[in-house]
Amino acid sequence: MTLAEAAKIAFASEFSFYLKSHNFHWNVEGVNFQQYHQLFGTIYEEVYSSIDDFAEKIRAIGNYVPASYTRFSYLSEINDEVEILQPYDMLQELYSDNDKMLVVLKMTYDIAEQTGEHGLSNFLAERMDAH
Protein backbone atom coordinates (compact mmCIF):
# COMPACT_ATOMS: atom_id res chain seq x y z
CA MET A 1 0.00 0.00 0.00
CA THR A 2 1.30 3.46 -0.83
CA LEU A 3 1.49 6.30 1.65
CA ALA A 4 -1.17 8.22 -0.30
CA GLU A 5 -3.59 5.29 -0.15
CA ALA A 6 -3.00 4.73 3.57
CA ALA A 7 -3.32 8.44 4.35
CA LYS A 8 -6.63 8.67 2.51
CA ILE A 9 -7.98 5.64 4.38
CA ALA A 10 -6.84 7.14 7.68
CA PHE A 11 -8.35 10.53 6.81
CA ALA A 12 -11.69 9.06 5.74
CA SER A 13 -11.76 6.92 8.87
CA GLU A 14 -10.96 9.89 11.11
CA PHE A 15 -13.69 11.98 9.49
CA SER A 16 -16.15 9.10 9.87
CA PHE A 17 -15.15 8.73 13.52
CA TYR A 18 -15.80 12.44 14.01
CA LEU A 19 -19.20 12.20 12.32
CA LYS A 20 -20.26 9.20 14.38
CA SER A 21 -19.24 10.81 17.66
CA HIS A 22 -21.13 13.97 16.68
CA ASN A 23 -24.16 11.83 15.82
CA PHE A 24 -24.01 10.24 19.26
CA HIS A 25 -23.63 13.67 20.90
CA TRP A 26 -26.77 14.91 19.16
CA ASN A 27 -28.87 11.80 19.71
CA VAL A 28 -27.95 10.42 23.12
CA GLU A 29 -30.73 10.31 25.70
CA GLY A 30 -31.47 8.69 29.03
CA VAL A 31 -30.75 9.06 32.71
CA ASN A 32 -27.03 9.78 32.20
CA PHE A 33 -27.69 12.10 29.27
CA GLN A 34 -25.46 14.94 30.50
CA GLN A 35 -22.40 12.76 31.08
CA TYR A 36 -22.68 11.01 27.71
CA HIS A 37 -23.54 14.23 25.89
CA GLN A 38 -20.45 15.94 27.31
CA LEU A 39 -18.20 12.95 26.63
CA PHE A 40 -19.31 12.63 23.00
CA GLY A 41 -18.96 16.41 22.62
CA THR A 42 -15.39 16.33 23.91
CA ILE A 43 -14.56 13.50 21.53
CA TYR A 44 -16.05 15.03 18.39
CA GLU A 45 -14.57 18.46 19.10
CA GLU A 46 -11.08 17.03 19.57
CA VAL A 47 -11.27 14.90 16.42
CA TYR A 48 -12.81 17.69 14.35
CA SER A 49 -10.00 20.04 15.38
CA SER A 50 -7.55 17.72 13.59
CA ILE A 51 -9.41 17.33 10.30
CA ASP A 52 -8.10 20.40 8.48
CA ASP A 53 -4.49 19.72 9.51
CA PHE A 54 -4.89 16.12 8.37
CA ALA A 55 -6.15 17.25 4.96
CA GLU A 56 -3.26 19.69 4.63
CA LYS A 57 -0.76 16.93 5.42
CA ILE A 58 -2.21 14.85 2.59
CA ARG A 59 -1.94 17.80 0.22
CA ALA A 60 1.65 18.37 1.40
CA ILE A 61 2.63 14.91 0.18
CA GLY A 62 1.19 15.76 -3.25
CA ASN A 63 -2.22 14.11 -3.13
CA TYR A 64 -5.82 15.21 -3.20
CA VAL A 65 -8.01 14.73 -0.17
CA PRO A 66 -11.15 12.59 -0.35
CA ALA A 67 -14.01 14.93 0.41
CA SER A 68 -17.34 13.31 -0.30
CA TYR A 69 -19.57 10.94 1.62
CA THR A 70 -19.21 8.43 -1.19
CA ARG A 71 -15.40 8.46 -0.94
CA PHE A 72 -15.51 8.41 2.87
CA SER A 73 -17.86 5.43 2.78
CA TYR A 74 -15.62 3.61 0.33
CA LEU A 75 -12.34 4.31 2.17
CA SER A 76 -13.29 4.41 5.84
CA GLU A 77 -12.59 1.60 8.28
CA ILE A 78 -15.32 3.07 10.52
CA ASN A 79 -18.78 1.72 9.74
CA ASP A 80 -21.65 4.14 9.47
CA GLU A 81 -24.28 4.00 12.20
CA VAL A 82 -27.82 4.47 10.94
CA GLU A 83 -29.72 3.46 14.07
CA ILE A 84 -30.11 5.32 17.32
CA LEU A 85 -28.35 3.19 19.90
CA GLN A 86 -28.70 3.10 23.65
CA PRO A 87 -26.07 5.30 25.37
CA TYR A 88 -23.91 2.41 26.58
CA ASP A 89 -23.98 0.86 23.10
CA MET A 90 -22.88 4.19 21.63
CA LEU A 91 -19.98 4.21 24.05
CA GLN A 92 -19.03 0.63 23.22
CA GLU A 93 -19.17 1.33 19.49
CA LEU A 94 -16.92 4.38 19.77
CA TYR A 95 -14.52 2.39 21.94
CA SER A 96 -14.33 -0.32 19.28
CA ASP A 97 -13.96 2.29 16.53
CA ASN A 98 -11.19 3.94 18.52
CA ASP A 99 -9.28 0.65 18.40
CA LYS A 100 -9.79 0.56 14.62
CA MET A 101 -8.48 4.11 14.38
CA LEU A 102 -5.33 3.19 16.26
CA VAL A 103 -4.65 0.33 13.82
CA VAL A 104 -5.21 2.54 10.76
CA LEU A 105 -3.17 5.42 12.15
CA LYS A 106 -0.28 3.09 13.10
CA MET A 107 -0.26 1.49 9.65
CA THR A 108 -0.12 4.93 8.03
CA TYR A 109 2.50 6.12 10.51
CA ASP A 110 4.77 3.16 9.67
CA ILE A 111 4.52 3.87 5.94
CA ALA A 112 5.18 7.59 6.50
CA GLU A 113 8.27 6.75 8.55
CA GLN A 114 9.53 4.30 5.92
CA THR A 115 9.15 6.90 3.18
CA GLY A 116 10.74 9.71 5.20
CA GLU A 117 7.57 11.80 5.49
CA HIS A 118 8.30 12.80 9.08
CA GLY A 119 5.93 15.76 9.12
CA LEU A 120 3.07 13.37 8.45
CA SER A 121 4.38 10.69 10.79
CA ASN A 122 4.72 13.22 13.62
CA PHE A 123 1.14 14.33 13.02
CA LEU A 124 -0.04 10.71 13.03
CA ALA A 125 1.83 10.04 16.27
CA GLU A 126 -0.08 12.93 17.83
CA ARG A 127 -3.36 11.51 16.52
CA MET A 128 -2.55 8.12 18.02
CA ASP A 129 -1.86 9.82 21.36
CA ALA A 130 -5.21 11.63 21.12
CA HIS A 131 -7.07 8.41 20.36
Side-chain angles (χ1 to χ4, degrees):
M1 177 176 298
T2 69
L3 178 57
E5 292 167 334
K8 289 176 184 182
I9 290 168
F11 179 81
S13 299
E14 187 79 310
F15 194 91
S16 298
F17 186 87
Y18 149 73
L19 189 59
K20 183 181 285 187
S21 60
H22 209 151
N23 167 18
F24 291 169
H25 172 78
W26 285 331
N27 290 302
V28 70
E29 56 190 8
V31 294
N32 293 319
F33 165 81
Q34 192 60 38
Q35 291 87 350
Y36 282 108
H37 186 72
Q38 287 178 346
L39 174 63
F40 297 145
T42 299
I43 293 168
Y44 90 73
E45 287 172 357
E46 192 287 324
V47 176
Y48 186 74
S49 72
S50 74
I51 295 295
D52 192 59
D53 287 344
F54 205 156
E56 290 174 2
K57 297 291 186 222
I58 293 172
R59 292 294 295 136
I61 62 170
N63 289 273
Y64 293 108
V65 181
S68 71
Y69 291 120
T70 300
R71 292 285 292 148
F72 291 153
S73 177
Y74 175 74
L75 293 168
S76 180
E77 294 294 318
I78 305 301
N79 294 326
D80 194 17
E81 183 55 65
V82 295
E83 296 181 22
I84 303 300
L85 304 176
Q86 293 299 309
Y88 183 77
D89 295 330
M90 291 175 175
L91 187 63
Q92 287 298 106
E93 188 160 329
L94 277 185
Y95 185 79
S96 175
D97 287 345
N98 191 67
D99 287 344
K100 291 176 187 177
M101 285 305 310
L102 289 170
V103 169
V104 169
L105 291 168
K106 176 69 165 95
M107 174 195 64
T108 309
Y109 170 87
D110 289 344
I111 297 169
E113 279 289 290
Q114 291 168 2
T115 59
E117 291 293 343
H118 301 296
L120 179 56
S121 63
N122 288 341
F123 173 81
L124 293 166
E126 290 174 3
R127 295 308 310 141
M128 287 186 284
D129 283 347
H131 275 276

